[in-house]
Amino acid sequence: AALALAPGLAPAPRVASRAAVSMDSSKPVVIGLAADSGCGKSTFMRRVTGIFGGESKFNDIGRETNTLVSEMTTVICLDDYHKWDRTGRKSNPEWPDGITALHKDCQNWDKMAEDVLNLKNGVAVEKPIYNHITGMLDPDEMVSPTPIVIFEGLHPMHDERVNQALDLTIYLDITDDVKFAWKAQRDIAERGATMEEVQKAINDRKPDFSAYVEPQKAKADIIIQVLLSDLIDDATGKFLKVKFIQKKSCPVCESPFLFDKGSKITWTPNGDKLTTSAPGVVLASYDDEWFGEAVSVIEMDGKIDVLDELIYVESAMCSTGTKYYGELTEQMVKNKQAPGSENGTGLFQTLCAFKIREAYESLRK
Amino acid sequence: AALALAPGLAPAPRVASRAAVSMDSSKPVVIGLAADSGCGKSTFMRRVTGIFGGESKFNDIGRETNTLVSEMTTVICLDDYHKWDRTGRKSNPEWPDGITALHKDCQNWDKMAEDVLNLKNGVAVEKPIYNHITGMLDPDEMVSPTPIVIFEGLHPMHDERVNQALDLTIYLDITDDVKFAWKAQRDIAERGATMEEVQKAINDRKPDFSAYVEPQKAKADIIIQVLLSDLIDDATGKFLKVKFIQKKSCPVCESPFLFDKGSKITWTPNGDKLTTSAPGVVLASYDDEWFGEAVSVIEMDGKIDVLDELIYVESAMCSTGTKYYGELTEQMVKNKQAPGSENGTGLFQTLCAFKIREAYESLRK
């Protein structure tokens, strides 16, 4: 299908465009964030947009919208590119057994690619809206470009036209054990579901998730992987080991590390400087492979008790993309109440926000 | 037995004397080094005396002596305080089965204590000589005090009068596996001994070693412990894991550490900055307990190939007692040919030399 691009615009291979095209400073930097539903994307987005300042609000269209806008940032939810409404997914003659929102045939790829490319080129778009409350496809909304446009949802890297257009791609990888633990906590404790129901709900989504969402893991520049803690036998998902994985090939931001670049380090911080309750905190930093590509990894296992003391951890982190000593801690403290602030999810989502800023600034130079 | 001390001198508890007595700058700082025979003490001593400059030579008495003297240092071998000559040990009516040189009843403790205390107080001594070649007790030699006097041998910490007098004590702990591996390499490969003979030679010394030498491990301020490598299954003792263990209570020098004080860190250096062949190098730094006392530990496992690159390892080591960037590496390179230069024994013996200098300077202040 031919795309309705603004005149003179065509999709180009991402890496080539990064290297060869000197960025027009009026044009947005576009970021992709892939993550499953119910995995804390809105918290992640709050951490990201927060470092660019200004208030982040829903697009001012006087009705339900998923688009969040601040002076510097726009966050577009890719659910808006669902091809059918909720009823249509369930009673589509093409899909007698229904189709999950995860399936590739359930997204309007052409429109997604068109909008990403137009916004990347500084052109406002009329984009569809999927109404999460009613499950209906609402009338289009006008979205104007801001310096940074983030496309978050199930499939920012599935369609190669979209993937190639993105300047930086991120995959939030909640591993199965953690997903089950979180869902079990919520559905069983709060909604009275049974263990079997929880497992069934996960299993029902699994085939399409594995077929269309998970393969993007290999493509992303940065992966935030969330695993159960190695320090304690905890099935509730309250103690987490989180990895910040960055491809060495990523040209728009540097890989962060602990203490010494290129070394393999495990670090149990000094208990006098960082308050932790059992089982404590262990960090690590090392090089690894990710689907055959060279990556560097920082990981944090466990929880910290006093968020202000994170300044001590920050002081051991290098190439974070912060502009002054303590900026990472400052952001963490500012979002103290947000879920995950006490563990690696909050820390590495915030680190990722600085990497997005670094990418933005390196492309705007 | 009453000691023949210079007038006005009496043995005082070591810790009290450290704290209370302001050091007379004309009086030597005295150091104790405990180690078994054949464990590389002479190399260790060369590394130590080397950092104080000047040539280290045998005491100029025109005959066999064990005492090494330079402008700043004197190294006294405690074998000189053996009570009997070799024949006397083997055919003493008190010991019908013979007595090993390790046994407490084989040392002249009173004379040892007298000499240590006199030298510590700046008084020259007439000390005995045990002739390692003839096995005889030769006529006494005159030893004059130098700013640093090191007592090295089997028992510098056995007698409490001597132990208390010492300003800093070190134990070179070659673990049994390593001792066996080294002795096997030497005696089997070079002297045609059998495995059984090697084991028997070690077993014969074991009871007295365990009774009179090993207990000093608990008393020392600094312990250099040599173990077989964890990285490779090597029974030849060519790959070693070496620990530098320092008591936190030690008041005369600071504990060295990697990267961050009080943290637990394991570190595999960046292979681009430090050339190693398989199985590589792993360092670590952490707090631990040593016979119930709080200690800090640095360890190094494996071998490095290019000694000059040690500057990179040195840059991660803190509180080493060096006076300028690269001084530790400089000393290592200077002693490049000495055994152990490629592994933790050389590194930590050199580190220990800096700790001796630090102790000396803190006491001379």
Side-chain angles (χ1 to χ4, degrees):
Chain A
L3 302 182
L5 292 176
L9 303 177
R14 184 163 52 113
V15 173
S17 81
R18 280 180 188 172
V21 176
S22 122
M23 189 74 192
D24 178 339
S25 71
S26 69
K27 289 180 181 173
V29 169
V30 291
I31 311 287
L33 166 67
D36 201 0
S37 316
C39 287
K41 269 182 305 198
S42 61
T43 301
F44 192 173
M45 286 301 101
R46 201 178 320 137
R47 294 190 196 276
V48 170
T49 57
I51 76 157
F52 294 99
E55 203 187 344
S56 202
K57 304 184 285 196
F58 283 110
N59 197 16
D60 186 21
I61 56 168
R63 56 190 167 90
E64 186 69 17
T65 173
N66 300 310
T67 306
L68 276 164
V69 181
S70 72
E71 195 187 330
M72 286 290 288
T73 63
T74 301
V75 181
I76 289 171
C77 175
L78 295 178
D79 288 352
D80 286 337
Y81 296 92
H82 283 340
K83 209 183 252 177
W84 299 293
D85 60 19
R86 199 176 290 149
T87 318
R89 276 207 305 276
K90 286 180 183 159
S91 60
N92 192 305
E94 254 189 84
W95 303 95
D97 299 327
I99 184 170
T100 76
L102 303 152
H103 199 287
K104 75 171 167 57
D105 292 344
C106 199
Q107 327 301 328
N108 190 340
W109 300 112
D110 289 349
K111 178 60 177 155
M112 195 192 290
E114 185 187 314
D115 287 359
V116 170
L117 283 159
N118 276 324
L119 282 167
K120 183 176 185 173
N121 284 288
V123 179
V125 299
E126 293 277 347
K127 61 168 282 304
I129 297 177
Y130 177 82
N131 187 320
H132 285 99
I133 298 166
T134 63
M136 312 261 282
L137 301 178
D138 285 353
D140 288 359
E141 67 181 332
M142 165 75 81
V143 175
S144 299
T146 50
I148 294 153
V149 181
I150 300 171
F151 297 88
E152 64 87 356
L154 293 164
H155 313 93
M157 292 166 267
H158 176 87
D159 185 287
E160 271 309 301
R161 296 168 296 181
V162 180
N163 186 41
Q164 293 295 335
L166 295 169
D167 293 305
L168 180 72
T169 52
I170 301 148
Y171 188 101
L172 180 57
D173 181 22
I174 313 293
T175 53
D176 286 353
D177 289 347
V178 174
K179 220 177 252 186
F180 180 83
W182 284 357
K183 200 170 168 58
Q185 279 296 106
R186 202 170 46 208
D187 294 1
I188 298 172
E190 295 166 24
R191 300 175 196 169
T194 66
M195 201 73 115
E196 289 68 33
E197 286 166 341
V198 170
Q199 193 60 65
K200 185 176 180 310
I202 288 176
N203 289 347
D204 285 353
R205 300 177 84 253
K206 186 85 184 163
D208 284 355
F209 185 82
S210 301
Y212 308 115
V213 179
E214 216 167 16
Q216 301 174 106
K217 271 206 309 207
K219 296 183 181 181
D221 296 311
I222 292 171
I223 301 93
I224 296 180
Q225 187 175 53
V226 183
L227 304 118
L228 291 180
S229 174
D230 284 339
L231 304 177
I232 191 172
D233 197 12
D234 159 56
T236 67
K238 282 180 185 155
F239 292 89
L240 300 169
K241 177 164 99 170
V242 185
K243 295 184 183 188
F244 184 96
I245 301 163
Q246 183 172 329
K247 281 190 187 151
K248 297 202 174 205
S249 60
C250 176
V252 294
C253 50
E254 280 183 67
S255 295
F257 58 89
L258 294 173
F259 294 109
D260 180 59
K261 188 168 183 142
S263 285
K264 179 178 175 188
I265 288 184
T266 63
W267 177 38
T268 308
N270 184 337
D272 296 339
K273 301 187 208 163
L274 189 72
T275 311
T276 59
S277 19
V281 165
V282 180
L283 293 104
S285 175
Y286 51 91
D287 287 348
D288 204 351
E289 286 211 348
W290 182 258
F291 294 94
E293 286 192 66
V295 294
S296 65
V297 181
I298 296 196
E299 60 178 57
M300 171 174 164
D301 196 343
K303 285 204 272 199
I304 61 164
D305 293 353
V306 181
L307 213 55
D308 304 75
E309 292 174 352
L310 205 65
I311 186 74
Y312 163 53
V313 174
E314 182 179 351
S315 70
M317 291 170 71
C318 308
S319 293
T320 52
T322 56
K323 300 201 174 200
Y324 51 87
Y325 180 70
E327 191 182 12
L328 179 57
T329 303
E330 186 181 272
Q331 286 298 319
M332 289 290 288
V333 170
K334 209 174 85 181
N335 293 302
K336 193 183 282 219
Q337 302 305 324
S341 289
E342 76 290 0
N343 63 43
T345 61
L347 180 66
F348 292 148
Q349 286 174 3
T350 306
L351 179 60
C352 194
F354 288 111
K355 292 290 133 186
I356 290 172
R357 187 176 69 185
E358 196 182 330
Y360 164 70
E361 291 181 352
S362 85
L363 289 166
R364 286 325 264 288
K365 255 192 217 135
Chain B
L3 302 183
L5 293 175
L9 304 176
R14 183 162 55 112
V15 173
S17 80
R18 281 181 187 171
V21 176
S22 126
M23 190 73 190
D24 177 340
S25 71
S26 70
K27 289 181 183 172
V29 169
V30 291
I31 311 287
L33 167 68
D36 202 357
S37 316
C39 287
K41 267 181 308 195
S42 61
T43 302
F44 192 173
M45 287 301 99
R46 200 177 321 138
R47 294 188 195 278
V48 170
T49 57
I51 77 158
F52 293 100
E55 204 188 341
S56 202
K57 304 185 284 195
F58 282 110
N59 198 15
D60 185 20
I61 56 170
R63 56 189 167 90
E64 186 69 16
T65 172
N66 301 310
T67 306
L68 277 164
V69 181
S70 72
E71 194 187 331
M72 285 290 288
T73 63
T74 300
V75 181
I76 290 171
C77 175
L78 295 178
D79 289 352
D80 286 337
Y81 297 92
H82 283 341
K83 211 184 254 177
W84 298 292
D85 60 19
R86 200 176 289 149
T87 318
R89 275 206 306 276
K90 286 180 184 160
S91 62
N92 192 307
E94 253 189 85
W95 304 95
D97 299 329
I99 184 170
T100 78
L102 303 152
H103 199 288
K104 75 171 168 55
D105 291 345
C106 198
Q107 328 301 327
N108 189 342
W109 300 112
D110 288 349
K111 179 61 176 156
M112 194 192 291
E114 185 187 313
D115 287 358
V116 170
L117 284 158
N118 276 325
L119 282 166
K120 184 177 183 173
N121 284 289
V123 178
V125 300
E126 293 277 347
K127 60 168 280 304
I129 296 177
Y130 177 82
N131 187 320
H132 285 98
I133 298 167
T134 62
M136 312 261 281
L137 302 179
D138 286 353
D140 287 0
E141 67 181 334
M142 165 76 79
V143 175
S144 299
T146 50
I148 294 153
V149 181
I150 300 171
F151 297 88
E152 64 88 356
L154 294 164
H155 314 91
M157 292 165 267
H158 176 87
D159 184 288
E160 272 308 303
R161 295 167 298 180
V162 179
N163 185 41
Q164 293 295 334
L166 295 169
D167 293 307
L168 181 71
T169 53
I170 301 148
Y171 188 100
L172 180 57
D173 181 21
I174 314 293
T175 54
D176 286 352
D177 290 346
V178 175
K179 219 178 255 186
F180 180 82
W182 285 357
K183 200 170 168 55
Q185 280 295 108
R186 202 170 44 208
D187 293 2
I188 297 172
E190 295 167 24
R191 300 178 197 168
T194 66
M195 200 74 113
E196 289 66 33
E197 285 165 342
V198 169
Q199 193 60 64
K200 183 175 180 310
I202 288 177
N203 289 349
D204 285 351
R205 301 176 83 254
K206 186 85 184 161
D208 284 352
F209 186 82
S210 302
Y212 308 114
V213 179
E214 217 168 16
Q216 299 174 107
K217 272 206 308 208
K219 295 183 181 181
D221 295 313
I222 291 171
I223 301 92
I224 296 179
Q225 187 176 54
V226 183
L227 305 118
L228 291 180
S229 174
D230 284 341
L231 303 177
I232 191 171
D233 197 10
D234 158 56
T236 68
K238 283 181 184 154
F239 292 89
L240 300 170
K241 177 165 99 170
V242 185
K243 296 185 181 188
F244 183 96
I245 302 164
Q246 183 172 329
K247 281 192 186 148
K248 297 201 174 209
S249 60
C250 175
V252 292
C253 51
E254 281 184 67
S255 296
F257 58 90
L258 294 172
F259 294 111
D260 181 59
K261 190 170 182 141
S263 285
K264 180 181 174 185
I265 288 184
T266 63
W267 177 39
T268 308
N270 184 337
D272 296 339
K273 301 186 208 166
L274 188 71
T275 311
T276 60
S277 18
V281 165
V282 179
L283 293 105
S285 174
Y286 51 90
D287 287 348
D288 204 350
E289 285 211 349
W290 182 258
F291 294 94
E293 285 192 65
V295 294
S296 65
V297 182
I298 295 196
E299 61 179 56
M300 171 172 165
D301 197 342
K303 285 206 271 197
I304 63 166
D305 293 353
V306 182
L307 214 56
D308 303 75
E309 293 175 352
L310 205 65
I311 187 74
Y312 163 53
V313 174
E314 182 178 350
S315 71
M317 291 172 70
C318 308
S319 294
T320 52
T322 56
K323 301 200 173 201
Y324 51 87
Y325 180 68
E327 191 182 12
L328 179 57
T329 303
E330 186 182 272
Q331 286 297 320
M332 289 290 288
V333 170
K334 209 175 84 182
N335 293 300
K336 195 182 281 219
Q337 302 306 326
S341 288
E342 76 290 1
N343 63 42
T345 61
L347 181 66
F348 293 147
Q349 285 174 4
T350 306
L351 179 60
C352 194
F354 287 111
K355 292 290 133 186
I356 290 171
R357 186 176 70 184
E358 196 182 330
Y360 164 70
E361 291 182 353
S362 85
L363 289 166
R364 285 327 263 286
K365 254 192 214 137

